[in-house]
Amino acid sequence: MPFRLNLLEPRNSRPPPRIAIPPEDYDSASSTDSTETAKSCFRSSHEGRDHSSYVASASTSLAPTSSYRSSSDFLLHPTNEPGRFSGASSAAGTPVPSRSGTPLPQFYSSAASSSCTSDADSEPTSPLLPRNRRNRWWNDDGQRWWITSREGRRRRRRKESWCSGRFIRRVIRVVLRHPLFPTQPTSILLTLLVLTIFAILLTLLLIHVLNPDKEPLPWRAYCSIPSVSTSPPSLSATSYSPGYPFNSLAPSDVSSLSSIVPNSFPPPQLDDYPPAGVFLGVFTMDSAVERRMLVRSTWASHERSRNGAGAGDDGLGTSRTVVRFVLGKPRSSWDRRIQLEAETYNDMIVLPIAENMNSGKTHSFFDWASTEAWVPPLPADHDPKLAANYSYTNITASSPIPLARHDPYPARQEWHMSGQQTPWVRPDFIVKVDDDSFVMLAELEARLRVELHTKTRYTPENGTLYSRDPSSETPHTGMPEPDVHKPSSSSVGINATAAPLYERAPPSQVPASRPSPVDDPLVYWGYLVKNQFMAGELYALSWSLVDWVARDPTVKSMTRGKEDKQVARWMRLHPRAPEVRWKSERCWIYDHPRAGTVYSHGFLFPSEVTRARKSILSYLSAATEFFGGLASAPFAAAPIGDGSSPTSWAYSSVTAFGVRYNPPLSDLTTLQAVEALVEGSDTSKLKEGGDVTAEDAWIRREGRKTRYEDKRVGGTIVVHFIKKNPWFLETALAFLEGEEQTVREKKQHFIDRALGLPGNSSDVLSGTSSSVPQSR
């Protein structure tokens, strides 16, 4: 049947060509059957198939609709114009039948056993269609065994590798696509702010939980009731005593208030005994040049550090004290500068290890010191009867030792005058110091001199330390806890609170043979932390301990870890560990006031310690009267953590625990600001809007003579945790500068002499009483 072909109509408005189907080719039954068959197959097919089944249907030829066109487009050539068939279908004069009477072989399978064809058989295979690779032998379900095993292994690996990059990317993708994930700038900033606050709070919580120091230490009690125990502390849980010395005041130890009053330091005959040889190794690193220069120009060479307070001793006490800087191998960028610095000052020790803090540097230093540490010999004008004679005393250096500018003055003067050097000898003590510590050398040497000349003996029967003096039968300690002992009436000498001096025999009775190493002192000196180890800012080992540490193979395998704790472990491994004297100094070693640690308080002087001691004794007297005896007082058996001892014993006029330091007034001068850091000073007690002004407080300050109670030594030994150079200079101004007497003290002294009054009126002059509020 012919159809009309209008070539003059616009291309866009021309309807699609209508294909006429001869009536003889149309079979309604066939169409109905085919349609039903197609529908049933479509219903039985699985949903979500990734391909379409092309089924020819006679019902689609009833009208030339768009559905018909879309279902038969695969028979036409593609065209670039929308809405048009190819030229072959429109130009032909004879219509092309839409389908044959029977299904085409390329659409239906020849199998007649089933009325519904399979998916694979129902897909078209026209050469005009893209190839379907699912029917190929290399891509069918029956894969070869080697491919199947490989894919299985890959699947197993994917399931097992949950931490792989692919899994992580998938998790990130899920998180980013979550509806609650912020996408707007405002929500992103708010989320970051919340996460930052959470991280800060979590960090503070962890710091609080992990920090063992949650309460201020009773430093006033440490100064008033010092421990005299020298036995190695026990490692058992019961020996941990954070409340020392309060839990030491047990009925078995103390029977009267006079028993806890310590003898003042120094002992009267301290300067009669020869000075100790002390070698200080200041641990530093290559880049800390400025800090090394500060040490060289302040406490390593200053006369008030070496001579002591008042008139001093002309440097005799520290005439055998040497300071050197210890560091590991410098970095390549600092190598040249370290070489020049070492050549300039002659005070650098470069260890053959990489720079570190807890990976063997301390042991390497002690190993070096066991063969290379030397100090000047005893002064020639000293009494030889009182000189110590140990196994290492007569070991001398084979060549002259290069001198540093801060070495003892007698040694430098000898080299300058004669060009010769008396052979240096082994030191009595090796001291490890951090470069953030400020050390008063005269104070340190005085304490170590006491330990050097205190002779003890060990009795294995009861495991206690005794004095060698046969007139004394009082043991140092018979308890694992720090304890307080009564001063023995027969205990006279350099250290009456502990072991008295051993009176040496006259020179004619001293044997000529070399002393045995058994008689060498075994001293481990420092600030005892939690009854376990000496704090790392400064601790001293006697020479015999250093020599053993350098040679012992077990110690060489224990060089990594917290170095101060490792040294304590070494001491417990010593063959004569029960004889090692663990001497702790808790009063005069503390942190800088600005440090904000549990060990920090104001700069401390003996005058303030005397006032603190009076305050504590006043409290104990009141407690004794109230409770009917010191043994029944509540602080007699419980530590400070239980709230049984007055909190005023941890009071500081300068700092507050857990609070950052701020000056009392904002308009203080430099010297007034340093005075405000002194514990118990009137300047440290100033308040905004108070009656006392900064000028009045400055006028009423104490001079050095009053603060040191007219003694050469007896004050601060080490100020630690000086992390900033301005803090270092503040410490130097507080301890190395200042007038011996202020103008006000000089006037008062003149008035007292004119009136014939006692000369010691420091309390009246200073205008201060006890700086500790009385506890109720």
Side-chain angles (χ1 to χ4, degrees):
M1 180 178 179
F3 58 91
R4 185 169 57 91
L5 182 62
N6 190 359
L7 301 177
L8 298 178
E9 293 182 0
R11 180 176 301 178
N12 297 336
S13 62
R14 182 181 302 169
R18 303 180 63 179
I19 303 176
I21 302 176
E24 60 273 357
D25 293 337
Y26 178 77
D27 187 357
S28 61
S30 175
S31 175
T32 304
D33 296 339
S34 301
T35 303
E36 294 299 331
T37 303
K39 290 181 178 179
S40 62
C41 291
F42 180 78
R43 294 191 189 99
S44 62
S45 63
H46 295 287
E47 294 182 3
R49 305 284 291 182
D50 59 349
H51 60 278
S52 301
S53 299
Y54 296 92
V55 180
S57 176
S59 61
T60 59
S61 62
L62 297 178
T65 59
S66 58
S67 61
Y68 167 78
R69 179 175 177 265
S70 61
S71 63
S72 59
D73 279 348
F74 64 88
L75 298 176
L76 303 178
H77 291 287
T79 178
N80 295 331
E81 300 182 21
R84 295 189 62 185
F85 293 98
S86 64
S89 62
S90 61
T94 305
V96 180
S98 61
R99 61 183 293 274
S100 59
T102 58
L104 297 178
Q106 64 268 27
F107 290 93
Y108 293 93
S109 174
S110 59
S113 60
S114 175
S115 62
C116 181
T117 59
S118 64
D119 293 339
D121 296 335
S122 64
E123 291 185 356
T125 56
S126 172
L128 300 179
L129 296 177
R131 295 181 178 178
N132 188 355
R133 297 184 178 180
R134 293 188 60 194
N135 296 331
R136 302 305 178 188
W137 63 269
W138 59 83
N139 199 29
D140 58 2
D141 294 335
Q143 294 179 346
R144 295 297 182 263
W145 61 269
W146 58 85
I147 300 178
T148 303
S149 60
R150 188 186 310 138
E151 291 296 330
R153 288 196 301 271
R154 290 178 181 174
R155 293 193 192 97
R156 286 194 297 271
R157 282 199 297 267
R158 289 196 194 101
K159 292 180 180 179
E160 294 172 359
S161 59
W162 58 270
C163 59
S164 62
R166 185 174 181 179
F167 178 81
I168 295 175
R169 288 194 299 269
R170 186 182 302 111
V171 171
I172 295 175
R173 191 183 306 115
V174 171
V175 173
L176 294 178
R177 293 178 179 178
H178 196 275
L180 296 180
F181 189 82
T183 57
Q184 300 299 325
T186 305
S187 60
I188 292 176
L189 293 177
L190 183 61
T191 303
L192 293 177
L193 179 61
V194 171
L195 292 177
T196 302
I197 296 175
F198 174 76
I200 294 175
L201 294 178
L202 181 61
T203 303
L204 294 178
L205 177 62
L206 292 177
I207 292 175
H208 176 75
V209 172
L210 299 178
N211 184 18
D213 303 318
K214 297 181 176 62
E215 294 181 353
L217 296 178
W219 62 270
R220 293 181 179 272
Y222 292 164
C223 297
S224 302
I225 316 174
S227 173
V228 295
S229 173
T230 56
S231 295
S234 174
L235 291 177
S236 61
T238 57
S239 67
Y240 173 70
S241 56
Y244 162 81
F246 314 115
N247 55 343
S248 302
L249 303 179
S252 59
D253 278 335
V254 181
S255 59
S256 64
L257 287 175
S258 61
S259 64
I260 66 172
V261 179
N263 291 353
S264 59
F265 188 90
Q269 70 277 29
L270 173 66
D271 292 334
D272 294 339
Y273 286 84
V278 182
F279 187 96
L280 287 88
V282 182
F283 277 33
T284 181
M285 58 183 303
D286 50 14
S287 59
V289 180
E290 187 174 1
R291 178 55 59 92
R292 289 194 291 272
M293 294 303 300
L294 287 175
V295 172
R296 292 184 181 111
S297 60
T298 54
W299 61 263
S301 59
H302 201 281
E303 59 180 5
R304 282 183 172 172
S305 174
R306 284 190 168 271
N307 299 355
D313 61 349
D314 294 331
L316 182 63
T318 59
S319 61
R320 305 183 63 207
T321 301
V322 175
V323 179
R324 294 293 184 266
F325 296 98
V326 182
L327 67 158
K329 291 181 180 179
R331 292 165 290 183
S332 57
S333 58
W334 285 89
D335 190 19
R336 178 61 176 169
R337 280 177 279 188
I338 294 300
Q339 291 180 4
L340 293 174
E341 184 180 358
E343 291 293 336
T344 302
Y345 297 101
N346 291 328
D347 59 358
M348 306 281 288
I349 301 172
V350 181
L351 301 175
I353 60 172
E355 180 59 43
N356 65 87
M357 182 172 60
N358 296 317
S359 298
K361 183 177 180 179
T362 301
H363 183 270
S364 181
F365 166 62
F366 287 141
D367 189 16
W368 176 92
S370 65
T371 58
E372 302 297 332
W374 307 96
V375 295
L378 288 172
D381 56 349
H382 220 282
D383 188 358
K385 296 181 181 180
L386 301 177
N389 189 23
Y390 299 118
S391 63
Y392 57 86
T393 301
N394 296 323
I395 302 177
T396 59
S398 58
S399 60
I401 305 300
L403 296 177
R405 298 180 182 180
H406 49 73
D407 279 344
Y409 176 74
R412 291 186 288 111
Q413 186 182 31
E414 179 190 20
W415 180 264
H416 178 72
M417 298 296 295
S418 63
Q420 298 180 355
Q421 183 184 87
T422 304
W424 286 21
V425 298
R426 291 296 186 199
D428 298 305
F429 294 94
I430 302 294
V431 182
K432 180 262 177 182
V433 190
D434 288 340
D435 62 355
D436 63 343
S437 299
F438 192 97
V439 185
M440 299 294 289
L441 295 179
E443 300 282 358
L444 175 64
E445 188 278 332
R447 267 70 172 192
L448 295 181
R449 189 192 308 187
V450 169
E451 299 303 322
L452 177 67
H453 296 285
T454 299
K455 302 290 288 185
T456 59
R457 62 186 175 88
Y458 175 73
T459 57
E461 291 80 8
N462 54 4
T464 56
L465 289 169
Y466 285 88
S467 168
R468 286 183 181 272
D469 188 353
S471 63
S472 175
E473 298 180 358
T474 304
H476 278 272
T477 179
M479 303 174 58
E481 298 281 345
D483 54 2
V484 181
H485 299 277
K486 305 176 185 179
S488 174
S489 58
S490 61
S491 297
V492 294
I494 196 168
N495 191 8
T497 60
L501 273 175
Y502 169 62
E503 299 295 338
R504 293 180 176 83
S508 58
Q509 300 180 13
V510 175
S513 60
R514 182 177 178 179
S516 171
V518 177
D519 295 329
D520 293 346
L522 302 177
V523 180
Y524 180 31
W525 187 94
Y527 185 106
L528 186 60
V529 178
K530 300 177 181 178
N531 214 27
Q532 297 177 4
F533 59 92
M534 300 297 179
E537 62 263 22
L538 184 145
Y539 54 82
L541 297 180
S542 58
W543 171 257
S544 296
L545 293 178
V546 173
D547 186 55
W548 170 79
V549 165
R551 294 183 291 102
D552 188 77
T554 305
V555 172
K556 292 181 180 180
S557 63
M558 301 171 57
T559 59
R560 295 184 179 273
K562 297 292 184 180
E563 56 94 15
D564 46 6
K565 296 182 179 180
Q566 288 295 96
V567 173
R569 294 188 182 99
W570 300 345
M571 297 302 101
R572 298 180 187 277
L573 294 176
H574 194 275
R576 297 162 57 194
E579 301 181 57
V580 176
R581 304 185 67 227
W582 292 53
K583 184 61 177 178
S584 176
E585 177 56 69
R586 294 192 178 187
C587 178
W588 302 107
I589 300 178
Y590 52 89
D591 288 353
H592 193 276
R594 296 181 184 271
T597 65
V598 71
Y599 306 99
S600 64
H601 52 74
F603 296 137
L604 198 57
F605 290 92
S607 60
E608 177 63 17
V609 171
T610 299
R611 290 190 288 268
R613 184 181 301 119
K614 292 179 180 179
S615 175
I616 291 179
L617 293 180
S618 175
Y619 174 83
L620 295 178
S621 299
T624 303
E625 296 175 1
F626 181 78
F627 290 100
L630 187 65
S632 59
F635 54 82
I640 189 173
D642 296 337
S644 56
S645 57
T647 57
S648 61
W649 292 358
Y651 166 79
S652 173
S653 64
V654 178
T655 63
F657 178 70
V659 180
R660 185 177 181 180
Y661 173 79
N662 287 314
L665 298 177
S666 59
D667 57 347
L668 297 177
T669 64
T670 301
L671 294 179
Q672 290 174 353
V674 173
E675 180 68 17
L677 295 173
V678 176
E679 190 66 48
S681 65
D682 291 338
T683 309
S684 66
K685 304 174 185 178
L686 292 176
K687 297 180 179 179
E688 294 286 350
D691 297 334
V692 181
T693 64
E695 291 295 332
D696 295 338
W698 175 255
I699 292 174
R700 296 171 58 180
R701 74 189 186 279
E702 293 178 333
R704 290 178 55 85
K705 185 176 181 180
T706 302
R707 285 178 171 170
Y708 279 94
E709 299 179 338
D710 206 12
K711 296 179 181 179
R712 185 179 70 87
V713 291
T716 295
I717 305 173
V718 180
V719 179
H720 178 234
F721 211 89
I722 307 178
K723 297 302 182 182
K724 299 180 180 181
N725 290 334
W727 300 3
F728 197 95
L729 295 175
E730 289 175 346
T731 310
L733 285 174
F735 289 101
L736 303 181
E737 302 299 331
E739 302 169 329
E740 290 294 328
Q741 282 186 312
T742 63
V743 176
R744 185 171 181 269
E745 289 176 340
K746 291 178 180 179
K747 291 181 179 180
Q748 187 65 38
H749 180 66
F750 178 78
I751 295 174
D752 292 342
R753 290 185 60 184
L755 298 177
L757 297 176
N760 188 7
S761 58
S762 59
D763 289 342
V764 177
L765 292 175
S766 62
T768 59
S769 58
S770 175
S771 61
V772 181
Q774 296 294 329
S775 301
R776 296 180 180 179

